[in-house]
Amino acid sequence: MHTHTVGEIVKENLVRLRKGRGVLARDLESRVRPDFTELFGATADSGSVLREKVIGYLDELMADLPDQLRRAARCGLNLPPSTDGDTLQQRLAVLAAEFYCDERTARRRMDDAFLHMAGHADRGQVPMPGVGHGGIGWYVDVFDAVLRLDMANPEAIERRTIVATAASLDKIVTSIDVPRHPSNHSTRVELTREMMFGGLLAGTGQGSSTNFSTEITLPRTLHRGERHTYGLIARIPPGQEMVNRYVYVPYRQCRYFTLLVRFHPDRMPQRIWRHEGVPHSAVNDEPRPGTELEPNLANEVSAQFRDLINGCAYGIQWR
């Protein structure tokens, strides 16, 4: 009986993943084997949660690759915000043109990249999930959000301090879900993002009709244990209704989260309450006893949360 090494498991799944739309494939759950998702603690996940964890683990595996091999891996796997094509053949053609070689050579470059990634996994260069605060590549030490509802259009000002757990980290990918308002049945959900400081907006994408990803290039390469703070503004466009909540569901570890919501004096809700470590489905329930919040004279409410549990909901809701 042959027991597969971690590297063999990774290599096999990378080859499976690069077919078709790669990590953006709708059937991602059937494309990755349980022994692979077990490597980064995602055996029970599905949908956008699974996709984000897969992407995070792949980013970790390629953290130390030379630029050309990293480019070949990202292209082959169709990692967001990729625009290289929806089929492997299209992406091979793009890579061949970029590397001034034929498509067979481009495929060999991908294979070389996958071998290096499998080697990193075999040598234990990728931290296992669940050790301390270390997630995949990086974790959030402090997340500070201010949601302004006193403006013409809702605006979330988000400031995060992250800590690198990879050997080196020069880019990160974050995502935000913008639930569809009950009054919006047919119009497309949209979101605009602007970097305030601490990085460059490298690309944006959509994992689903309501999930928006943001790739940020860091101002310098971080090494394991180094901290970095960046600021991002997310805006709901004019004419689009926002649901009556701001809820954070972390999928990488977060030590401290603080949220302030500022309401318009003419649009004060009747009830405001907090969610702390509840299932995301709790947003459909009545407020639990002891969770209601009273606005101050500036029409603001705030809440603070420590040592958040992955997959649980934290935030503020109103009606």
Side-chain angles (χ1 to χ4, degrees):
M1 181 177 175
H2 175 61
T3 302
H4 290 288
T5 66
V6 171
E8 287 170 338
I9 292 169
V10 166
K11 178 69 164 59
E12 178 190 347
N13 281 270
L14 292 177
V15 172
R16 289 167 60 87
L17 270 172
R18 75 173 167 192
K19 297 173 183 174
R21 296 194 68 218
V23 297
L24 301 181
R26 288 188 177 183
D27 62 341
L28 182 65
E29 290 169 54
S30 65
R31 301 270 291 276
V32 290
R33 296 188 185 280
D35 56 2
F36 179 68
T37 54
E38 191 177 347
L39 297 176
F40 48 95
T43 49
D45 296 313
S46 61
S48 60
V49 179
L50 174 63
R51 194 181 316 278
E52 185 166 343
K53 287 191 176 182
V54 168
I55 290 170
Y57 184 63
L58 295 175
D59 275 334
E60 182 79 50
L61 287 173
M62 63 182 71
D64 288 332
L65 292 186
D67 288 348
Q68 200 174 73
L69 286 183
R70 186 186 300 132
R71 169 65 182 131
R74 293 191 68 85
C75 181
L77 295 164
N78 202 25
L79 286 169
S82 171
T83 54
D84 297 320
D86 285 339
T87 68
L88 176 58
Q89 204 58 46
Q90 289 172 343
R91 297 195 296 277
L92 282 168
V94 168
L95 198 65
E98 194 173 311
F99 287 178
Y100 301 100
C101 64
D102 59 32
E103 291 180 16
R104 288 179 62 187
T105 305
R107 184 185 285 268
R108 282 200 296 272
R109 296 280 170 82
M110 286 183 190
D111 290 338
D112 287 345
F114 291 173
L115 279 172
H116 278 76
M117 292 165 72
H120 288 171
D122 245 350
R123 291 189 295 274
Q125 291 177 310
V126 181
M128 291 300 288
V131 179
H133 280 286
I136 299 169
W138 54 281
Y139 71 87
V140 180
D141 188 45
V142 179
F143 176 18
D144 180 67
V146 175
L147 176 64
R148 296 196 60 183
L149 300 175
D150 60 332
M151 307 173 71
N153 306 109
E155 179 176 296
I157 303 163
E158 301 180 340
R159 177 187 172 109
R160 287 177 174 86
T161 298
I162 66 170
V163 180
T165 59
S168 63
L169 185 71
D170 52 17
K171 281 187 179 180
I172 62 170
V173 179
T174 68
S175 70
I176 183 172
D177 207 67
V178 183
R180 189 180 296 276
H181 192 273
S183 66
N184 178 9
H185 298 296
S186 56
T187 311
R188 182 178 173 181
V189 175
E190 295 183 0
L191 183 76
T192 62
R193 284 140 289 178
E194 175 193 344
M195 286 300 303
M196 280 195 299
F197 66 89
L200 295 171
L201 199 61
T204 57
Q206 273 191 257
S208 71
S209 62
T210 60
N211 183 268
F212 299 82
S213 63
T214 307
E215 183 174 6
I216 298 167
T217 301
L218 302 176
R220 65 178 180 85
T221 299
L222 299 182
H223 300 289
R224 188 173 287 123
E226 289 190 318
R227 300 161 62 86
H228 176 71
T229 302
Y230 71 89
L232 186 72
I233 302 176
R235 296 187 178 95
I236 301 287
Q240 181 176 303
E241 293 259 20
M242 178 181 166
V243 294
N244 58 347
R245 62 184 180 271
Y246 183 105
V247 173
Y248 174 43
V249 182
Y251 294 120
R252 63 179 66 239
Q253 287 180 289
C254 177
R255 184 185 64 83
Y256 183 67
F257 169 47
T258 175
L259 170 63
L260 183 145
V261 181
R262 181 179 174 91
F263 295 97
H264 192 286
D266 298 334
R267 298 191 294 271
M268 289 300 297
Q270 293 181 330
R271 300 181 81 181
I272 310 170
W273 65 98
R274 59 184 271 150
H275 293 293
E276 181 165 7
V278 299
H280 190 259
S281 56
V283 300
N284 301 312
D285 299 340
E286 289 295 305
R288 294 182 179 183
T291 61
E292 297 211 32
L293 301 171
E294 288 292 328
N296 61 22
L297 293 176
N299 307 307
E300 297 169 350
V301 292
S302 62
Q304 294 79 38
F305 312 95
R306 292 183 182 277
D307 296 319
L308 284 67
I309 298 170
N310 287 9
C312 292
Y314 300 80
I316 293 175
Q317 188 164 350
W318 56 91
R319 183 165 62 226

